[in-house]
């Protein structure tokens, strides 16, 4: 019997992976900083609750259909009443496939960003956490206004998203006070 590379190195790789997993799990056990809501809105909802919940909602409501249904699901939901099938009919199969792949990638990235945001709230200090969320909402609003809307089939949809991003950014700024 002559050991091959798989039988020689796989146990070592498995042990290294287990050690890495164990150390990363231990590293995640940190004490949760106390986040005090400074500004309360009606009903006891803080500005921090608004930006956190709103950003998570946007990540999930756009990310899940994009990942699960691809471009057809995402654009049919986001462009209500628009003849998406007719619009796509003049595209090549390669173009449709590429858009679908990129849409699914985008959806997965949004869901991962939402998961990171959800867990970061428990381990980050409030001001940097809300500052990051505020800046990301401003960036997304800018992307919607300057890049997405001018070339979109339905520009108004992107302006609505930009408005939501702007409202969330204001809530984030309020949460930092």
């Amino acid at each position: 019997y002559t050991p091959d590379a798989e039988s020689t190195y796989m146990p070592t790789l498995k042990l290294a992976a287990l050690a890495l997993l164990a150390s990363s799990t231990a590293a995640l056990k940190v004490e949760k900083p106390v986040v005090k809501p400074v500004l309360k809105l009606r009903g006891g909802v803080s500005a921090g609750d608004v930006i956190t919940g709103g950003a998570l909602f946007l990540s999930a409501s756009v990310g899940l259909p994009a990942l699960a249904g691809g471009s057809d699901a995402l654009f049919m939901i986001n462009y209500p009443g628009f003849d998406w099938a007719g619009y796509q009919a003049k595209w090549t199969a390669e173009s449709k496939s590429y858009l679908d792949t990129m849409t699914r990638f985008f959806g997965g990235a949004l869901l991962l960003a939402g998961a990171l945001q959800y867990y970061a709230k428990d381990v980050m200090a409030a001001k940097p956490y809300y500052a990051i969320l505020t800046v990301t909402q401003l960036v997304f609003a800018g992307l919607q206004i300057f890049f997405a809307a001018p070339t979109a089939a339905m520009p108004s949809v992107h302006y609505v998203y930009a408005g939501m991003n702007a409202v969330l950014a204001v809530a984030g700024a309020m949460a930092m006070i």
Side-chain angles (χ1 to χ4, degrees):
Y1 170 75
T2 305
D4 58 1
E6 186 176 320
S7 63
T8 303
Y9 297 111
M10 286 309 287
T12 306
L13 289 174
K14 287 178 183 176
L15 283 174
L18 285 173
L20 181 63
L21 180 62
S23 66
S24 65
T25 304
L28 289 176
K29 295 178 183 176
V30 294
E31 288 200 27
K32 180 178 176 181
V34 177
V35 179
K36 294 186 241 172
V38 178
L39 296 173
K40 287 282 190 178
L41 307 173
R42 286 189 181 190
V45 176
S46 72
D49 296 335
V50 171
I51 189 166
T52 300
L56 285 172
F57 172 76
L58 284 177
S59 292
S61 66
V62 174
L64 190 58
L67 180 62
S71 59
D72 286 338
L74 180 67
F75 289 103
M76 286 170 50
I77 291 168
N78 279 299
Y79 291 176
F82 182 74
D83 181 17
W84 180 249
Y87 183 68
Q88 268 191 319
K90 51 191 167 202
W91 296 5
T92 65
E94 279 181 335
S95 297
K96 290 178 191 176
S97 176
Y98 184 74
L99 178 65
D100 192 62
T101 299
M102 293 310 297
T103 301
R104 289 176 192 272
F105 179 82
F106 170 72
L110 269 177
L111 291 173
L112 288 173
L116 288 171
Q117 176 198 331
Y118 178 80
Y119 286 104
K121 187 174 190 319
D122 291 340
V123 296
M124 286 183 71
K127 281 193 179 190
Y129 174 78
Y130 293 128
I132 291 169
L133 289 183
T134 301
V135 169
T136 58
Q137 294 306 311
L138 290 171
V139 168
F140 284 135
L143 290 172
Q144 294 288 355
I145 292 168
F146 298 111
F147 294 102
T151 60
M154 290 185 73
S156 60
V157 170
H158 297 280
Y159 292 124
V160 168
Y161 272 117
M164 289 190 289
N165 294 131
V167 167
L168 293 176
V170 169
M174 291 171 60
M176 289 186 288
I177 296 174

